[in-house]
Amino acid sequence: MNPTTLIKHGAVVLLAFLLNVACSPSGDNQPSTSVEPSSDGPRGAIDDARINNAASEPGNWLAHGLDYREQRFSPLSQINRETVTQLGLAYELDVGSNDALEATPIMVDNTLFFTSTFSIVHAVDAATGVELWRYDPEVPRDFLRKACCGPINRGVSVYEGNVYVATLDGRLVAINAGSGERVWEVDTVIDRDRFYTITGAPKTAKGKVFIGNGGAEFGVRGYVTAYDAVTGEQIWRFYTVPGDPSLPFEHPEMELAATTWKGGSWWEVGGGGTVWNSIVYDPEFDQVYLGVGNGAPWTRIIRSPGGGDNLFLSSIVAVDADTGKMNWYYQTTPGDNWDYTAVQDMTLADMTVDGEERKVLLQAPKNGFFYLLDREDGELLRAHPYVKTTWATHVDMETGRPVENPETDFSEEAKWVLPGPLGGHDWQAMSFDESKGVMYLPAQDFPFIYSIDEEFKKTGYFKRNPGTTNLGIDIANSSILAEQMADSAPTAKGYLKAFDPISGEEIWSVDHVHYWNSGVMASAGGLVFQGDGLGFFSAYNTDTGEKLWTYNTYISMLAPPISYEIDGTQYVAILAGTGAVENFVGETNETAAQKYGNFGKLLVFKLGGDAVLKEPRIRDRTIPEQPPLVASAEQLLRGEQQYNVVCGGCHGANARAAGIIPDLRMMGDGKHAIFKEIVLDGVLAAGGMASFADVVTPEDAENIRQYIISRANIDRAEAQELGAAAGG
Ligand code: CA
């Protein structure tokens, strides 16, 4: 669609919207199960003024982080430390997905708007759970292959009568909030030969929609685009890393960035710097903060062998909302070497720092340090570790730079490092109590073995593989290295922490069994809510961390809870369902996903709620008898390496899946018989398993299958031994 068509189309849409304002939403546009919205007026009538004055309507949850400040602190207090024991299920809604649900629902005027997997948008009556409409952007299911972390989506923005969703395959779509019908759609992807994906929620302000993308693991160049909210017309685009140096700079900031990349040919792999999660509009300075991701490839010795900071990787960049021109930047991890994205949620606040009133930005990026910046100019005010960090000893407050730890330098030999690529904190939302100056955040120690790509070590040359990940890390031998270095492995663990960003003090910390848990929401009721990997949704005392209420949902959770109020009743809602990097890590602990599978649901709670949760199904995890193992030791090693490079990202490290994507040890004879047709011919593409014929040879397909058989035989024997011991 060209811009002129877009404008014309936009005008029609605007007219349709205005007409919609005049009449109540008509039954014509509704599915048969629909009900009228329980409030007057059109759905989704949110504008800048309303979000700025969000405090005057505490019953709604108007934007991704509640309002423009993104503190995610609910002002509601009907559910509090005294009443929380009466909290029960109001309703559940099966959303028909079996991968991670990561969205923050928007709740406005009694309607919930949220996404499930494959970027499907749902509008639901917030009091009853009745679905009003559903919009499926029809993302091709085999696009999964191009996504690092499953078919996930972190939600919509609702603005001026439209619902905006960005799709896994890189489209930005405006949907009429009343009817659920598409208004306009644009393709945000600059190069369709690259594996660009979008999982983040679009942000809206000042008549614009802001959206970035992901894909750095496969090798792309990051950028953020602003579109006209009414027409979809492009307004500005900000690249986060420089492109091919033989071509002109797209904007002046690229000239500055290019001086910090030295040697190598990063643009061939892509450079990275994707803005896949946090974009925050700040009305006080009329600027947009972009949280920029890691380098592509991860390792700087390959990406920029001459050194340099590699701007704007792992940075927070403030750009003018109208022009996209940069006002300032702060780089959390100069010369990123570890997948240390700074895409994690950013919170805006006013705080007294060293006796001075400051307008601050708070972020806990993957690298393990909690940053406090002045929003006006990006001045670094604090940088305290919030988890164990072994890659750097501290941040030098004079230079604003981390001081790297030579003991964990992995340029010569493989090293365990904390945090790993999951970060000390990832995208799971944190929640800030501004009155107390306390951040509640989900955190984890998740160690990783960093080791330079074996081929590069041998040849000094890194060849981009267009069909798979390009990390520059020795993924092929990762499971072998992990076995060899098991004795020195730090323990993986998850936490809920109450953290003081000024003093760096950990006020309290709750240990979780699993490393990967949900986002959090604190409230004026003195509670902080979080779901965990074992399937328990709990409320903790904000002062002490004491668990005051817990509910077994039988579903592992990642998404953040929200709270809202309708007709004097407070509700707490969370989307339940795990996946994403959990798939890559594979089988671990006794998560709900392992025990019961992973059927995504919207769960909504209220005081006195007495709805009865549907019984979970217990998964049969018995590994079946395997076909003959005929491969040589050499073929098995090759199969293991190829499995880890091509298959492990979804089906789990060591061929042990997380309970979400199929566990290949469970394949029956039928699947074994057509293994090559599945891997090479794409016979299961409609279910999300694309053909990998461009990266897997027929011999390797057989080597991979043989490796799976050998792994299954070992694990089956072990399980039988355990079973016999337990039985006898
Ligand atoms: Ca990454």
Side-chain angles (χ1 to χ4, degrees), residues 148-149 215-217 274 276 293-295 298 338-341 366 421 471:
C148 73
C149 307
E217 272 59 56
T274 48
W276 56 262
N294 58 278
W298 286 2
W338 307 265
D339 186 21
Y340 285 165
T341 68
K366 278 188 184 177
L471 304 182

Side-chain angles (χ1 to χ4, degrees), residues 388-441:
K388 286 189 199 106
T389 58
T390 65
W391 73 281
T393 54
H394 64 289
V395 175
D396 181 330
M397 293 304 290
E398 290 296 311
T399 61
R401 299 171 69 89
V403 178
E404 290 183 21
N405 178 3
E407 282 170 25
T408 53
D409 177 1
F410 63 93
S411 50
E412 296 299 328
E413 51 170 343
K415 294 279 172 68
W416 283 110
V417 179
L418 277 168
L422 269 56
H425 164 235
D426 205 344
W427 60 270
Q428 288 96 326
M430 49 190 195
S431 176
F432 187 57
D433 184 343
E434 193 172 25
S435 67
K436 292 182 180 160
V438 177
M439 186 67 87
Y440 303 94
L441 82 156

Side-chain angles (χ1 to χ4, degrees), residues 14 19 89 113 121 131 149 212 263 269 326 331 336 376 382 407 514 524 531 544 561 574 587 656:
L14 184 64
L19 288 173
L89 187 68
F113 298 93
V121 184
E131 192 160 82
C149 307
V269 175
M326 186 172 76
Q331 189 174 37
D336 170 43
E376 188 166 13
R382 291 289 189 279
E407 282 170 25
H514 192 47
T544 61
I574 186 166
E587 192 171 53
R656 295 169 178 144

Side-chain angles (χ1 to χ4, degrees), residues 71 197 374 601:
Q71 295 183 352
T197 48
D374 189 308
K601 284 178 186 177

Side-chain angles (χ1 to χ4, degrees), residues 538-551:
S538 305
Y540 302 84
N541 182 323
T542 47
D543 287 340
T544 61
E546 186 194 350
K547 191 186 284 183
L548 299 178
W549 173 84
T550 191
Y551 184 95

Side-chain angles (χ1 to χ4, degrees), residues 577-588:
T578 189
V581 300
E582 185 124 39
N583 290 323
F584 166 72
V585 177
E587 192 171 53
T588 165

